[in-house]
Amino acid sequence: MANDDTLVRLERRFEALESRLAYQEHWLDTLDRAVASQEQRLTQLERLSELMQRRLRDQQQTLQGLDDDDYRLEDEVPPHY
């Protein structure tokens, strides 16, 4: 009888452990997908940041080029002329 009780208790513990393992595997898969998604988004944002930095550098060089040519707003002909 004691042997049967021990066996039943062990089966219950084993089932509880299996259940916990399945739950943890589910959350591990969920977290893995979330990390992969965030990594992809981070890559996109890094590319966008690089592009914006390039554009800002180009604009800054253009403005410096205009300053070097002694560009003045007063020298421009208004659009209605």
Side-chain angles (χ1 to χ4, degrees):
M1 186 82 163
N3 225 3
D4 289 342
D5 289 340
T6 303
L7 185 58
V8 169
R9 273 188 319 182
L10 287 175
E11 286 177 351
R12 286 184 187 150
R13 288 183 66 193
F14 185 71
E15 287 174 1
L17 287 172
E18 283 182 327
S19 176
R20 288 174 64 188
L21 180 61
Y23 180 75
Q24 288 175 355
E25 285 177 344
H26 167 74
W27 275 107
L28 185 59
D29 289 342
T30 301
L31 291 173
D32 187 46
R33 286 191 303 270
V35 168
S37 175
Q38 288 177 348
E39 184 177 352
Q40 183 180 20
R41 183 68 177 142
L42 179 61
T43 301
Q44 290 173 344
L45 291 172
E46 286 172 338
R47 275 190 258 142
L48 180 61
S49 175
E50 187 178 313
L51 177 64
M52 292 174 71
Q53 288 175 7
R54 247 188 266 143
R55 285 187 180 179
L56 284 173
R57 266 189 250 115
D58 291 347
Q59 288 178 352
Q60 185 179 19
Q61 289 174 355
T62 301
L63 287 174
Q64 286 175 350
L66 292 175
D67 288 343
D68 292 344
D69 295 340
D70 292 328
Y71 173 81
R72 296 183 330 179
L73 188 60
E74 297 86 28
D75 293 338
E76 264 195 38
V77 177
H80 59 277
Y81 281 172

